[in-house]
Structures are given as structure tokens and as C-alpha cells.
Amino acid sequence: MSENPPNGPQDGKDTNPEQSGDPGKTPPGNYPPPPGSYPPPPGNYPPPSGGYPPPPGNYPPPPGSYPPPPGNYPPPPGNYPPPPGFGGQGYGGHGAGLPPTLNVGDALSFGWNKFKDNAGVWIGIVVIAAVIQVILNLVFGRSGSSGDVSALFGIWSIIGTVVSAIVGYIINAAFIRGALHEVDGNKPAIGSFFQFANVASIIIASVLVAIMVLVGFVLLVIPGLVLTFLSWWTLQFVIDRNEDAVTAIKSSFRAISSNAGQLFLLALAIIGINILGAIPCFLGLLVTIPISAIASTYAYRIVSRTAAV
């Protein structure tokens, strides 16, 4: 027959749950509450105070001054022509909108249209060039009226020859500078024709080309014609790309050699229209000289951006 165990500790053992560590016993009130008594989940929190920004979905729309989405941007860089010297567009990115290949008819038509749209300025610059040359001839006695052959070797005649040659080089460079403006879409004023700073390179390159051509003509004419043709764009490279004289001559040789057939036809066409321009008392040159400069520079832009120069 069993007896109920007496209350209180037995055998000296303490039955206080705080000391016994029995996991089945309820923890005292000083412990944190069980998980069920934790604060409510975040969704039941009170709404944010008025000073907080509204939730993302309620943000106001972006202001109208923001740029348009990427789809409306200009064409990606892949559609731009590559830089010069690597088969790309003209130096500095010029010549946008020109056709990829050269056509003689297109070059002459381009020259005519650009001249027609800016005829007053082009005729003015041709007249200025002609007046300067006449004045130099009068000052240095090079009008051809004197029959004294010994005067050709006089000091004054030598100075006149040098000055006239240098002025001629600068005038030629001015025509090319104006043509570059036209080809690049900028209608030049009179002052725009003289927007070049590398005068020394222009003069040196022109002198070197003149010496080469002179030597070529001494060698049975044909080499002189070939050198004249191949050095056609020397000043374009000097003015447009700021190349030194020797580099510009090499660049002209490479560029023209890369499309010699079409350029030879263009050269013949330019010679032809200038012969026709000289027939009516040279008055036609007021038109044909600008057309020739623009058409030649148009061809330069197209060929130089695809040739390895």
C-alpha cells in the first residue's frame, strides 16, 4: 500500500524550478514573453508620420523637363563614321551627309549648288584675288610689257617673283579653306576664307610641290603631270588636318592613288570647265574657279575618309 509523498523537499533536494532547470517548468515572470506575445508583424504597424515620404507607388510623376527615354536619343555611336585615318569620316568628324563613294557628276553638281547659294561671296573672293595679282604685277613690273629680258634677273624682279608666289599660295589656300567650309555645311563669309594659322606649312608645302612638279616637267613632261595630279590635295591636308608639308604631300599621294580613276576624270572635267570659263574674256572664271575648288574639296572629303590616310 503506497503513501503519498510528503510535501516539501526530500533527501535534501531542492524542487524549486528556478534552481532545478527543468525545461518542462514554466519560466518565471522576469523572462521575456513567449513568441506569441511579440509585437504585431510589420504590416500592422501604425502608419508613418506625415514627415516621411509616401510609399514608392505613390511617388509623383517625374517632372516634364527630364530628358526623353533612351529610345528617342540620336543614333548610337556605331552609326557615326569612324575617325580620320582609320577609314572614317573627314577629319574631326566633318563631311556628314556626304555619299560613301565619289561620283564625278555629283562632285560638279555639289560645287555648282554651293556656289549658287553663296555666289556673291565667292565672286567677291575671286575678284579680290585677281585685283591683288594685278597690283603685284604693276608694282614689280611683271605685266609683261617690258622686253628687257635682263630685268627678269634684277633684284626687284626676284623680290616680285617671290612675293607673287607666296601671295598666290595664300590665295590658293583661301579658296581651299572656303571650300572646306562649304563641304562641311558652313556658308563662308569673306573673312572665313582666311581662317588658317599654319601659313608656314602652307608656303613650305606649296614650294616643295612646285619644285617636284618642275623637276617632273623637266623629265619629259609626263612625270610632271603625274606629280601635279598626285599632289593635288596637299593643301587640303595641311589646312584641314594641320599636317606638316611632307606629311601632307604623302597623304595626298595615298588618297589620290586610292581612287585614281574617278579623280582623274574629275580633274579632266575641272580643266574643261575652266577652259570654257576663260573663253568669254575670262569672266566665266568667276564661276568656274569656285566650282572647281568646291568640287575638288568635296572629292577630298569623300575619298580621304575611306582611304588609309
Side-chain angles (χ1 to χ4, degrees):
M1 180 175 180
S2 64
E3 296 181 359
N4 291 328
N7 295 329
Q10 298 180 12
D11 301 328
K13 295 181 179 179
D14 189 0
T15 59
N16 189 339
E18 292 182 6
Q19 298 177 0
S20 64
D22 186 349
K25 302 294 183 179
T26 303
N30 293 334
Y31 279 81
S37 301
Y38 278 14
N44 295 327
Y45 278 1
S49 62
Y52 285 90
N58 296 327
Y59 273 30
S65 59
Y66 274 33
N72 295 329
Y73 280 4
N79 291 333
Y80 286 115
F86 296 90
Q89 184 150 337
Y91 186 70
H94 296 303
L98 297 182
T101 58
L102 175 63
N103 179 275
V104 174
D106 291 344
L108 296 175
S109 297
F110 184 90
W112 163 249
N113 290 328
K114 289 296 184 178
F115 165 77
K116 182 178 60 176
D117 293 340
N118 201 18
V121 170
W122 276 101
I123 291 175
I125 198 70
V126 174
V127 170
I128 290 172
V131 170
I132 291 174
Q133 290 291 355
V134 169
I135 291 174
L136 289 175
N137 287 336
L138 292 176
V139 169
F140 294 103
R142 300 180 66 247
S143 61
S145 59
S146 175
D148 188 1
V149 179
S150 63
L152 181 64
F153 301 99
I155 299 298
W156 192 245
S157 291
I158 294 175
I159 295 174
T161 301
V162 172
V163 171
S164 297
I166 292 175
V167 171
Y169 299 152
I170 299 302
I171 290 174
N172 192 22
F175 286 138
I176 293 172
R177 176 71 272 178
L180 285 167
H181 280 304
E182 294 283 10
V183 173
D184 296 337
N186 305 315
K187 186 179 291 186
I190 293 294
S192 304
F193 284 77
F194 300 94
Q195 290 178 338
F196 46 80
N198 48 352
V199 177
S201 295
I202 290 171
I203 295 173
I204 294 172
S206 299
V207 170
L208 291 178
V209 169
I211 293 173
M212 286 193 312
V213 171
L214 178 61
V215 172
F217 275 109
V218 170
L219 301 174
L220 301 178
V221 179
I222 299 298
L225 294 174
V226 173
L227 290 172
T228 301
F229 177 62
L230 293 177
S231 61
W232 186 7
W233 289 340
T234 298
L235 289 188
Q236 273 88 342
F237 282 102
V238 171
I239 297 169
D240 186 41
R241 300 194 181 186
N242 199 29
E243 294 183 354
D244 62 83
V246 175
T247 302
I249 292 172
K250 293 178 179 178
S251 297
S252 178
F253 273 50
R254 287 195 298 269
I256 291 179
S257 298
S258 69
N259 200 353
Q262 284 291 312
L263 291 173
F264 181 70
L265 294 177
L266 177 61
L268 291 179
I270 288 175
I271 292 171
I273 65 172
N274 280 285
I275 291 174
L276 294 176
I279 291 175
C281 300
F282 298 96
L283 293 178
L285 295 177
L286 295 174
V287 176
T288 60
I289 288 176
I291 292 176
S292 301
I294 298 171
S296 170
T297 305
Y298 168 92
Y300 157 78
R301 267 284 183 257
I302 292 176
V303 174
S304 65
R305 71 183 182 182
T306 56
V309 292

